[in-house]
Amino acid sequence: MATDERDDWAQATLRDIALEGIRERRRARRWGLLFKFLLLAYLVAILLLTLPSLQGEAQMPGTAPHTAVVDLDGTIAADTPASADRVINGLEEAFSASGARAVMLRINSPGGSPVQARRIYAAIQRLRAAHPDKPLYAVTGDIAASGAYYVAAAADRIYADPASLVGSIGVIMGGFGYTGAMEKLGIERRLYTAGRNKAMLDPFSETNPAVEEHVQSMLEEIHQQFIDAVKQGRGDRLASDRDDIFSGLVWTGARAVDLGLADALATPDEVARDVVGVARTVDYTPRGGFLERVMNRLGVTAVRLAQRFGGPFTGAMR
């Protein structure tokens, strides 16, 4: 092959390779646009399917008779779905609903902050006084213990499942002490405070009998507040011959009825149908903002797709 022919062949080959690369990039771009369009269409479809239920959650049910429901689910703390602010907001909406014949507080919580629990307790007392014709019934799920029972004690009546865990009327504060380990490791503690008791709960310092007595007195004071609230809410329904009701023990729902910690055994459906007399329920539990609920729905859908097409979904969602 002559030199000129080889040069022409090389140039033609390079030109073909370059053109093929351009065509490949165009194809990739078209496929990329197609996938983006399909993803957008999928998200829009999910949003359209989700929108009616989200709107339904946000709309008031009008004056149709119903049993108003508010959930207290999880640890009672300021930054959780069971915070006083969220639960009280739901209760206020439920009590103010003209169609609500009664309010059901569904409780599934191990307790939490005594401050948050007392706020909910006080709000229930206030709302019951403002709406005397609208009773509030607490219905326990798996557990209604400690601060969660504190809240339940404010209800007109408490209903439990036979296997619910109910009670735990007590106060706890715990920690660890590392002074022995520090000695063995040759670690010297350097702590500077203003106020001789400022570091009274420091786990790296020796215990102080005076501080321990002070902490115990605080716990007993809070415990007595808890006891007083339960006695005020339950009254003479509590078993008078038992001195261990306020000892921190937890009881089954069936045993709780015997002790007067609960009034009867019933499920939420049974309470709505048989006690309130209105089987239809409307959930007034605050669920977050509209965008938050949309993202939660999309997130759940994404997890389900991953489980269906990609095997078990093991990643953590935070």
Side-chain angles (χ1 to χ4, degrees), residues 14-59:
L14 290 173
R15 184 172 59 252
D16 291 342
I17 293 173
L19 291 173
E20 183 60 29
I22 293 172
R23 286 192 291 268
E24 184 64 29
R25 284 195 296 271
R26 287 176 177 171
R27 282 195 294 268
R29 191 159 49 244
R30 285 195 295 268
W31 279 109
L33 291 173
L34 177 61
F35 281 123
K36 290 177 181 178
F37 173 78
L38 292 175
L39 177 60
L40 179 61
Y42 169 75
L43 293 176
V44 170
I46 292 295
L47 180 59
L48 292 176
L49 291 173
T50 303
L51 189 61
S53 62
L54 293 176
Q55 289 176 333
E57 290 175 5
Q59 292 173 352

Side-chain angles (χ1 to χ4, degrees), residues 188-206:
E188 178 185 358
R189 175 62 165 160
R190 296 175 182 175
L191 182 66
Y192 310 98
T193 65
R196 67 179 184 273
N197 293 316
K198 184 62 178 177
M200 67 178 187
L201 299 178
D202 176 44
F204 301 101
S205 300
E206 295 286 348

Side-chain angles (χ1 to χ4, degrees), residues 13-185:
T13 301
L14 290 173
R15 184 172 59 252
D16 291 342
I17 293 173
L19 291 173
E20 183 60 29
I22 293 172
R23 286 192 291 268
E24 184 64 29
R25 284 195 296 271
R26 287 176 177 171
R27 282 195 294 268
R29 191 159 49 244
R30 285 195 295 268
W31 279 109
L33 291 173
L34 177 61
F35 281 123
K36 290 177 181 178
F37 173 78
L38 292 175
L39 177 60
L40 179 61
Y42 169 75
L43 293 176
V44 170
I46 292 295
L47 180 59
L48 292 176
L49 291 173
T50 303
L51 189 61
S53 62
L54 293 176
Q55 289 176 333
E57 290 175 5
Q59 292 173 352
M60 297 300 292
T63 59
H66 62 272
T67 300
V69 175
V70 178
D71 287 333
L72 192 162
D73 193 3
T75 302
I76 304 172
D79 57 350
T80 68
S83 70
D85 287 338
R86 281 204 174 191
V87 175
I88 292 172
N89 286 342
L91 290 172
E92 288 177 341
E93 291 289 340
F95 270 99
S96 63
S98 60
R101 296 296 179 260
V103 178
M104 183 195 308
L105 183 62
R106 293 186 301 203
I107 299 176
N108 191 27
S109 168
S113 164
V115 174
Q116 297 283 308
R118 193 209 64 80
R119 285 183 57 196
I120 302 172
Y121 181 99
I124 292 174
Q125 288 183 312
R126 170 176 58 82
L127 290 167
R128 284 180 58 197
H131 303 272
D133 58 338
K134 195 170 293 186
L136 183 141
Y137 302 123
V139 185
T140 69
D142 294 317
I143 184 169
S146 196
Y149 187 78
Y150 194 141
V151 172
D156 288 278
R157 291 175 66 83
I158 299 174
Y159 295 91
D161 185 270
S164 295
L165 299 180
V166 179
S168 187
I169 302 172
V171 185
I172 185 171
M173 177 183 292
F176 296 91
Y178 301 103
T179 53
M182 290 169 63
E183 284 184 15
K184 291 182 179 180
L185 295 174

